[in-house]
Amino acid sequence: TVRSNWTGHSATLQAAMEKSVLGNLAKNREVADLEKVGGVKGIAKALGSSVKLGYKDDASVRQARETYGSNHLPERKTRNFLQHLIDALWDLTLIILIVAACITIIFGIFISRRQEDWVQGIGILFAVVVVSAVTSIVNWLQDREFVALAATNAKRNVRVIRGGVEQDCVIYDVVVGDIFVLRAGEVLPCDCAVISGDGLKVSEASITGESAQLTKTAKDPFMVGGSMLEEGAGHALVLTTGVDTEYGRIVKALVDQESPPTPLQAKLDSLAKLIGYVGMGFGAATFILLVAVFFASGPNLDDTNTVVNRILGAFVIAITIVVVAVPEGLPLAVTISLAFSMRSMIADQTLVRELQSCETMGSATAICSDKTGTLTENKMTVIASLVGGRLFRRAFDGERRLPGVTYGTTSLPTSADVIASAESGAPDAIAAGDAAAAAAGADATPSATATTTESARAAIAVMDSAILLNSDAVVEYQVPVDDPAAPGKATAPDYDSKLDALDRPVFRDNKTECAMVHALRTSHGSVFQHIRNAAGEYLFRFNFSSARKRMTTVYSGDAWRAASAVAMGSIAEFEAASAVADASAAGTGGSTTDTMAATDAVAEDAAAVVLVKGAAETLADLCSHELASTGAAAALDDAGHDRIRRSIARLADTGLRALAVCVRGLAEDELPCANDASGEDRDAAYHKAIERLEDGLVLVGIVGIKDPVRPEVPRAVANCRSAGIRVRMCTGDNIRTARFIARECGILPAVDHLSEEEQKAVVEVPLLPAMDAIDAVISSRAGPSVVEVVLDDPVAAARKVGVDPEKMNQGAEEAPAESRPSTTMVDRDGLVSMEGKEFRALSLKERVRLVPYLAVLARSSPTDKLLLVNTLKLLNDIVAVTGDGSNDAPALKAAHVGLAMGIAGTEVAKEASKVVILDDNFASIVRAVRWGRSVIENIRKFLVLQLTINVVALTVTFVVSGANEGDTSAFPLSVSQLLWINLLMDSAAALALATEPPSDSLLLQAPQGRASLITRIMVKQIAVNSIWQIFLVLFLTFDETAANALFFLEPGQFGQRAHLTSIFNMFVWLQLFAKLHARKIHDEINIFHGLLESKMALFVIFLIIVGQVIIVEFGGDLMLTTALTPAQWGMCILMGATSLPVGWISRAIPIFDADDELALRFGFHARPEAPITSKGSGEKEEGAELVQLSTPGAA
């Protein structure tokens, strides 16, 4: 029967479905052209696919790929090594040096006929080639790294239907004719045509530049690859793939464009140019000085060879100084450091999409984090439920039992649990919150009828049906299968699993919904497929949105009753099999009369039923009735509403997310339109009537879902505090749930830090959030650390930090203070918790004053998050923001660094972000901060070494020029040697220092903010080391007695090659030991810490030592060196090692660093505070609320 849904290729249709035809359909987007080829179904039939089942097998998929092409997009062409080498040599200074070297060779061979002249020219050419080759190799390797990173970034999975089964598919494997599953937040992988869908809203801004949402229906089915599905769900047929799509053509046109430099690269390019200009000045001055001194010495001008040789030598020295001075390794160091960090960050579960975000993370001063999946594990488990007006909770060993709660072995109550709770006569004591009231039955749910097994099952069946029909969540169970290759270990997914596999669930969709589906399966035996199949298609669905905080689905009355009957039978069968029901009831499936009674209680033979699921406190206000354990719907008065609110509050106080499940029956005349109305008209009518449909609901039950905090998060939050980064939690949860989780994470102080008197201190302040009252409370709690922030000109401040002044208040809904009921709370440290509706009601002035103390923003929407980001930017914070939903995109874009979640994040969120957290873990964000700081730190290390060598080499060369009568042959550092030093401090140093792994000490520093690259401590270290090296080199160059003694020179060797080789050797060793000090640029005493972990640094040092030995011992006339004795080698190394004590002396010199000034500016102490211990507590939340800001008379 299944095979009949597929059809083979028709010769006529196949001819009509040529690649060009499909391409024109997707390009022109004309519905009339689509109808000519039979519509979407006709295309699918011609391709051998099916709009419901997709391709039937892999062979069909391969055929489609061969015929219509793959879904690969063009990739940027990488340059080969030879091209990189040509680029490296195509440098003006190097070209001049090569020309000068060639002239020297020609002069030495044909004019002066002296070997030392032409050998020196060859040595210069050799050094230039070596330097350029090493630079080219490094650039070539990094180019390949970036290509690999880009491929990793682009690769993702999408959902398609093949063989009638929805499955994951790598984006590159999507083919023409595939049935693509449309989900809100997806970026379409190719050009498609809609088959079916609900409320499909598409943004084509990334393709056309138009920001307006486009509605996609059967009348306008074409969807462009690369566009974003912002709302709705459905299925679409793939028309074109790869370069044949609109997006593919754009990528093809842009593929060869170079990426712009990052801000750090641009800043270092400017610094490199400045250093280069200084070098050019020194080079010109040296050339003028050498020529002037030579002519002042009274040379024989008739000796043309000597005159030309001296002038040419002076010119070569001058050009070499420029080559040495220009820090080609500075931009290279940034590239290497960024590439190294990006590759390493992938291992730390962080994928960087834009280079600049890697460095920006190191400057972050504020992180606005989501809760679910980021601070918590996103392993949702139903722990408690409110059914029939009574609270049920799953029992755990060692857990403190709360009064008035029925504890059982399952997350949701069985019929026996409901009966036992009803027979006890005890009302919901947790809801009442008072043992005396509980004993008196003050808050008991009205019940005029006794609860029976059938009526209890009927009430449960209503809840199960309401949850499962108002959801698309799929939970698979891994069941054992026979596999000879893996005996006893192989498993396969199964939706309708038996009891033995229920401990192996796989959540395929939204984790919260899957948790409820799994709880129904394990507690009641309800199988989602059976119940959904019984109901069939729904009439209308309004998908969940963070603005509405709920999801609504409408079914026909007959579909609802059929599903409830199946649920009733499943519950009875499950309880009998589990030996839960009484022996007399075991094996009974429950009568149809009972089931109908229960459904009638909430639907009353309705023509249609509205199912609503969402935030409990929001839906509670929309309910007029509550389903009792007897299956009857009892009216809710004010006392009943108060009881439900208290139940929700107590669930939230134990860290549970409370979700309400509601239903409502609709009479025929209440339907927005006839059931057979066209799709578009029906959808429009339902959208218009949605508020009316969601009023007067029956509360079926409330479930409490636990999402445990990740065990590594409290330490990560403490590390952020030590690093001077304020963490703020933005969540859609109830404020009480949010505060409980914030305490577990360490964002708010834990309850066990408070004295008994402090825990009892609750201060109520009227008319809040009036900012003067908040200021007073913060001042009393935070003490002298309160800082008044005033913006005299908010518009100018906004423009300064890149915030559009017109969007500065985007999302704000300012309201008069007297109209603001508030639940704002201030903890003992002056940390504020408030709800989004109150935050957006603040004026700009109030927000600017409040935000420095805001720690928790509960019941917040994406616009609240955007408002918070823009306010933080006004305060000059560097902001990182996490997000996973499509509507988080504005905040992710507005932040300095947007962090999308790799697992739960939609493609829209990922496209809007600059960094993807692959494991959705907050600890990975902290590691990204560490890597970001490492980039800046490593560049500073490189600068210390680079500038030290520059200062010494330029100064020594210039001074010797004036003291040597213009003789360039007696320089302590020859041209070829200077080029070797240039290689040493550029490419080699860049490799060694730019790849230093980050240390945890980076998180003990204040945020870098917008601080200068060169700090005062760095200037001190450069100055002290340079002064010592200049003195040592010049002293041993000019003092014959000292040089003879220290270098063990034979008589007559002073000023000759043995002497100059020793100075050159000593100079290189000075830099090698100085490099060890360059690894630590904050005056740390232990400069060897972490050295063994830096494998690249050790490897580079080894190569430099080997290279230096070869150059000194075998360089000869090529490098103007001579072999040294062991004693001379030992003395060179010993003199080079003097960089170590000199470096320690420089660290002992006190200096006020700019970093300290920056720390004070941001309000952070120079040393980290002791981290607040985060310890979860099930104690009453009020005990931790030192200050509760509320309107007088508010509950």
Side-chain angles (χ1 to χ4, degrees):
T1 56
V2 175
R3 291 183 180 276
S4 64
N5 288 284
W6 281 290
T7 58
H9 287 268
S10 163
T12 305
L13 287 173
Q14 186 177 8
M17 289 303 108
E18 292 179 357
K19 191 173 181 179
S20 59
V21 174
L22 291 172
N24 288 332
L25 276 174
K27 186 176 181 179
N28 298 329
R29 293 188 256 178
E30 293 288 343
V31 178
D33 294 340
L34 181 63
E35 291 175 351
K36 290 178 182 178
V37 293
V40 177
K41 290 184 178 180
I43 295 176
K45 183 178 180 181
L47 295 172
S49 182
S50 164
V51 293
K52 289 187 177 181
L53 306 175
Y55 283 116
K56 62 180 179 180
D57 51 32
D58 293 340
S60 301
V61 174
R62 284 195 300 270
Q63 178 65 38
R65 186 176 295 112
E66 292 171 1
T67 305
Y68 301 104
S70 70
N71 197 37
H72 280 85
L73 292 175
E75 297 180 354
R76 181 173 68 88
K77 295 180 180 178
T78 58
R79 291 179 293 178
N80 56 38
F81 170 74
L82 183 59
Q83 290 172 316
H84 279 290
L85 181 60
I86 293 173
D87 286 344
L89 290 171
W90 201 255
D91 179 270
L92 181 60
T93 53
L94 284 181
I95 292 173
I96 294 173
L97 192 58
I98 291 170
V99 171
C102 292
I103 294 174
T104 301
I105 294 171
I106 295 171
F107 179 81
I109 294 175
F110 299 105
I111 300 176
S112 69
R113 301 182 183 279
R114 293 193 306 178
Q115 181 179 347
E116 56 267 28
D117 290 341
W118 63 264
V119 169
Q120 184 181 14
I122 292 177
I124 295 171
L125 288 179
F126 175 76
V128 168
V129 171
V130 170
V131 170
S132 301
V134 172
T135 303
S136 302
I137 291 172
V138 173
N139 284 335
W140 176 60
L141 291 175
Q142 295 312 314
D143 204 11
R144 296 181 63 185
E145 281 286 304
F146 280 122
V147 169
L149 285 171
T152 303
N153 188 17
K155 186 177 181 180
R156 62 184 173 93
N157 283 347
V158 294
R159 300 284 284 180
V160 297
I161 295 177
R162 290 177 182 170
V165 177
E166 187 176 312
Q167 57 188 264
D168 285 329
C169 175
V170 178
I171 187 173
Y172 305 130
D173 294 337
V174 176
V175 297
V176 170
D178 263 331
I179 307 305
F180 178 61
V181 180
L182 300 171
R183 296 178 296 186
E186 278 291 356
V187 174
L188 302 182
C190 33
D191 294 344
C192 307
V194 174
I195 298 172
S196 62
D198 297 303
L200 297 174
K201 302 285 186 180
V202 175
S203 170
E204 296 182 355
S206 60
I207 306 299
T208 64
E210 297 292 334
S211 58
Q213 282 187 340
L214 303 176
T215 301
K216 294 297 175 180
T217 62
K219 292 183 179 180
D220 182 14
F222 295 103
M223 306 174 78
V224 181
S227 58
M228 300 179 184
L229 183 63
E230 296 187 344
E231 294 181 19
H235 298 89
L237 178 71
V238 176
L239 299 178
T240 59
T241 57
V243 293
D244 296 320
T245 64
E246 186 70 26
Y247 183 64
R249 287 188 286 270
I250 294 174
V251 172
K252 186 177 181 180
L254 299 176
V255 72
D256 292 328
Q257 290 188 5
E258 294 290 336
S259 300
T262 72
L264 182 59
Q265 286 174 325
K267 187 184 295 186
L268 287 176
D269 283 342
S270 300
L271 179 60
K273 288 179 181 178
L274 177 61
I275 296 172
Y277 291 145
V278 172
M280 290 173 65
F282 263 92
T286 301
F287 176 75
I288 294 171
L289 182 61
L290 282 170
V291 173
V293 170
F294 170 66
F295 283 107
S297 64
N300 180 7
L301 298 179
D302 295 332
D303 187 357
T304 307
N305 288 348
T306 301
V307 172
V308 172
N309 192 35
R310 286 294 185 89
I311 294 175
L312 188 58
F315 180 72
V316 170
I317 286 287
I319 295 299
T320 304
I321 287 175
V322 175
V323 173
V324 172
V326 174
E328 301 95 343
L330 202 48
L332 178 64
V334 183
T335 304
I336 293 174
S337 187
L338 287 173
F340 173 73
S341 298
M342 288 172 68
R343 173 58 67 184
S344 302
M345 287 168 76
I346 290 179
D348 276 345
Q349 300 301 310
T350 306
L351 175 62
V352 178
R353 300 183 70 249
E354 292 186 14
L355 273 176
Q356 69 181 59
S357 58
C358 186
E359 62 199 51
T360 307
M361 277 302 297
S363 305
T365 59
I367 298 177
C368 301
S369 175
D370 285 342
K371 175 186 75 70
T372 303
T374 307
L375 297 171
T376 60
E377 294 182 354
N378 202 17
K379 293 181 179 178
M380 304 294 185
T381 306
V382 177
I383 297 295
S385 58
L386 185 73
V387 179
R390 291 172 172 81
L391 196 61
F392 300 87
R393 193 177 180 103
R394 183 178 175 183
F396 293 94
D397 292 339
E399 182 184 38
R400 184 170 64 87
R401 298 295 178 96
L402 300 176
V405 181
T406 301
Y407 285 86
T409 58
T410 57
S411 305
L412 296 173
T414 62
S415 61
D417 293 331
V418 174
I419 293 170
S421 177
E423 289 177 348
S424 69
D428 177 8
I430 280 200
D434 188 321
D443 281 343
T445 303
S447 176
T449 309
T451 302
T452 64
T453 300
E454 286 75 16
S455 63
R457 286 177 181 167
I460 294 172
V462 170
M463 185 173 187
D464 289 10
S465 301
I467 291 175
L468 294 177
L469 295 182
N470 193 18
S471 170
D472 282 329
V474 173
V475 179
E476 296 176 356
Y477 297 95
Q478 297 298 317
V479 297
V481 295
D482 293 331
D483 185 354
K489 297 182 179 180
T491 60
D494 179 24
Y495 299 106
D496 187 11
S497 179
K498 303 304 178 186
L499 295 177
D500 58 353
L502 296 183
D503 59 344
R504 294 187 292 274
V506 179
F507 291 0
R508 291 299 183 191
D509 296 281
N510 180 278
K511 297 295 189 295
T512 301
E513 294 198 17
C514 285
M516 290 190 285
V517 171
H518 178 58
L520 296 178
R521 182 72 181 87
T522 55
S523 301
H524 302 154
S526 297
V527 180
F528 67 89
Q529 278 189 321
H530 296 173
I531 293 175
R532 289 174 188 167
N533 289 341
E537 295 290 331
Y538 51 78
L539 300 178
F540 171 76
R541 171 163 290 170
F542 205 116
N543 287 299
F544 177 87
S545 72
S546 54
R548 287 169 23 89
K549 305 291 184 188
R550 56 185 176 269
M551 177 179 181
T552 302
T553 304
V554 181
Y555 275 90
S556 69
D558 291 338
W560 163 254
R561 285 181 280 275
S564 296
V566 172
M568 180 77 168
S570 297
I571 293 167
E573 181 182 351
F574 182 85
E575 289 184 348
S578 305
V580 175
D582 293 335
S584 60
T588 63
S591 68
T592 305
T593 303
D594 293 323
T595 308
M596 294 301 293
T599 54
D600 286 347
V602 297
E604 298 180 352
D605 296 322
V609 176
V610 180
L611 309 176
V612 187
K613 173 179 79 258
E617 67 269 29
T618 302
L619 293 186
D621 294 335
L622 301 178
C623 292
S624 60
H625 291 74
E626 179 182 16
L627 186 66
S629 59
T630 60
L636 283 172
D637 54 12
D638 290 342
H641 275 107
D642 288 342
R643 172 176 54 78
I644 292 172
R645 290 192 191 98
R646 287 194 296 270
S647 296
I648 295 169
R650 291 307 301 269
L651 287 173
D653 284 344
T654 56
L656 301 184
R657 174 189 291 181
L659 295 178
V661 181
C662 308
V663 301
R664 180 197 169 185
L666 295 177
E668 188 72 36
D669 58 356
E670 291 181 296
L671 286 170
C673 61
N675 288 349
D676 59 352
S678 66
E680 287 185 65
D681 295 338
R682 184 189 64 210
D683 287 356
Y686 273 104
H687 273 86
K688 188 176 181 180
I690 189 65
E691 291 186 8
R692 174 175 62 82
L693 298 179
E694 294 174 343
D695 193 28
L697 301 172
V698 177
L699 179 66
V700 175
I702 296 175
V703 295
I705 299 177
K706 176 69 174 176
D707 186 11
V709 170
R710 293 179 181 270
E712 62 272 24
V713 162
R715 179 178 179 84
V717 171
N719 285 338
C720 283
R721 187 182 297 108
S722 299
I725 302 172
R726 174 67 61 80
V727 179
R728 295 172 174 85
M729 184 172 78
C730 304
T731 176
D733 280 347
N734 178 296
I735 191 168
R736 292 174 176 270
T737 305
R739 285 171 58 78
F740 184 94
I741 300 299
R743 294 192 188 287
E744 289 189 314
C745 295
I747 295 173
L748 291 178
V751 175
D752 56 0
H753 273 252
L754 309 181
S755 66
E756 187 174 344
E757 291 74 19
E758 285 178 315
Q759 291 188 35
K760 293 178 180 178
V762 178
V763 180
E764 293 191 3
V765 186
L767 299 178
L768 287 170
M771 277 307 303
D772 54 348
I774 288 183
D775 282 347
V777 175
I778 291 176
S779 298
S780 67
R781 299 297 168 183
S785 65
V786 174
V787 180
E788 179 82 11
V789 182
V790 179
L791 291 179
D792 295 328
D793 187 351
V795 173
R799 286 177 177 149
K800 184 178 180 181
V801 297
V803 177
D804 186 346
E806 295 182 0
K807 297 182 179 179
M808 196 161 43
N809 284 313
Q810 186 175 345
E813 299 173 0
E814 191 171 337
E818 59 270 13
S819 69
R820 306 177 194 165
S822 174
T823 55
T824 300
M825 306 174 190
V826 182
D827 277 88
R828 67 182 180 93
D829 292 341
L831 298 177
V832 177
S833 305
M834 72 189 315
E835 291 188 351
K837 63 183 179 182
E838 299 165 20
F839 180 70
R840 73 180 78 108
L842 297 172
S843 67
L844 175 62
K845 180 180 178 181
E846 290 174 330
R847 282 202 314 276
V848 166
R849 292 167 64 189
L850 172 78
V851 161
Y853 308 100
L854 183 66
V856 176
L857 190 60
R859 285 291 180 229
S860 60
S861 67
T863 54
D864 297 330
K865 190 185 292 187
L866 176 61
L867 200 60
L868 175 59
V869 170
N870 284 334
T871 306
L872 287 168
K873 290 172 72 175
L874 282 176
L875 296 173
N876 216 31
D877 272 306
I878 306 297
V879 189
V881 173
T882 70
D884 53 14
S886 303
N887 43 18
D888 286 325
L892 291 169
K893 279 282 189 184
H896 294 98
V897 181
L899 303 159
M901 300 297 103
I903 299 173
T906 63
E907 289 305 316
V908 173
K910 293 175 186 177
E911 286 292 322
S913 69
K914 296 177 181 176
V915 175
V916 178
I917 306 300
L918 300 176
D919 61 353
D920 292 11
N921 193 337
F922 183 82
S924 297
I925 298 174
V926 178
R927 289 193 290 269
V929 171
R930 192 177 67 158
W931 277 108
R933 291 190 175 187
S934 175
V935 170
I936 301 172
E937 187 88 346
N938 289 347
I939 298 307
R940 285 176 167 170
K941 294 174 184 178
F942 177 80
L943 279 172
V944 168
L945 184 63
Q946 170 91 51
L947 296 179
T948 299
I949 299 178
N950 265 7
V951 170
V952 176
L954 296 181
T955 303
V956 167
T957 305
F958 184 77
V959 171
V960 173
S961 299
N964 230 15
E965 296 184 353
D967 185 4
T968 59
S969 64
F971 265 54
L973 301 174
S974 68
V975 172
S976 52
Q977 291 168 2
L978 282 172
L979 289 174
W980 163 246
I981 293 169
N982 183 60
L983 175 64
L984 169 75
M985 70 180 184
D986 271 358
S987 301
L991 272 174
L993 293 174
T995 57
E996 284 266 336
S999 65
D1000 290 335
S1001 63
L1002 290 172
L1003 296 178
L1004 299 178
Q1005 301 170 13
Q1008 297 299 315
R1010 295 178 172 85
S1012 170
L1013 275 174
I1014 302 178
T1015 66
R1016 298 179 185 180
I1017 291 179
M1018 291 169 61
V1019 172
K1020 176 191 67 173
Q1021 293 177 352
I1022 293 168
V1024 172
N1025 284 317
S1026 297
I1027 290 171
W1028 167 247
Q1029 290 188 25
I1030 290 170
F1031 165 76
L1032 187 61
V1033 172
L1034 292 179
F1035 175 66
L1036 293 177
T1037 298
F1038 295 119
D1039 192 306
E1040 184 175 355
T1041 304
N1044 288 338
L1046 290 175
F1047 292 138
F1048 307 106
L1049 299 178
E1050 299 291 336
Q1053 286 187 333
F1054 180 79
Q1056 301 304 311
R1057 188 170 292 188
H1059 174 215
L1060 299 179
T1061 300
S1062 297
I1063 292 178
F1064 161 63
N1065 195 25
M1066 177 191 70
F1067 183 80
V1068 170
W1069 283 99
L1070 281 169
Q1071 310 321 317
L1072 276 175
F1073 285 105
K1075 182 198 168 300
L1076 297 177
H1077 270 291
R1079 295 182 61 252
K1080 304 293 180 182
I1081 57 173
H1082 297 285
D1083 280 351
E1084 301 97 322
I1085 299 301
N1086 185 6
I1087 62 174
F1088 301 104
H1089 180 264
L1091 180 60
L1092 296 180
E1093 298 174 9
S1094 182
K1095 302 294 190 298
M1096 181 59 73
L1098 294 174
F1099 179 67
V1100 169
I1101 290 174
F1102 171 76
L1103 287 183
I1104 290 174
I1105 293 174
V1106 172
Q1108 183 66 13
V1109 170
I1110 293 173
I1111 288 174
V1112 169
E1113 294 297 314
F1114 308 103
D1117 292 339
L1118 196 65
M1119 298 297 294
L1120 296 182
T1121 59
T1122 186
L1124 299 179
T1125 65
Q1128 289 172 326
W1129 268 102
M1131 186 53 67
C1132 289
I1133 295 173
L1134 183 62
M1135 296 303 293
T1138 58
S1139 287
L1140 294 178
V1142 170
W1144 279 312
I1145 291 172
S1146 74
R1147 293 168 190 274
I1149 301 173
I1151 190 169
F1152 181 77
D1153 193 2
D1155 285 347
D1156 296 328
E1157 184 179 0
L1158 185 71
L1160 293 175
R1161 177 185 175 192
F1162 279 93
F1164 300 116
H1165 301 291
R1167 289 292 91 192
E1169 304 171 5
I1172 294 178
T1173 302
S1174 174
K1175 185 176 181 180
S1177 173
E1179 298 295 332
K1180 188 177 179 181
E1181 170 73 72
E1182 285 82 1
E1185 295 166 12
L1186 298 186
V1187 183
Q1188 178 157 355
L1189 311 176
S1190 58
T1191 304

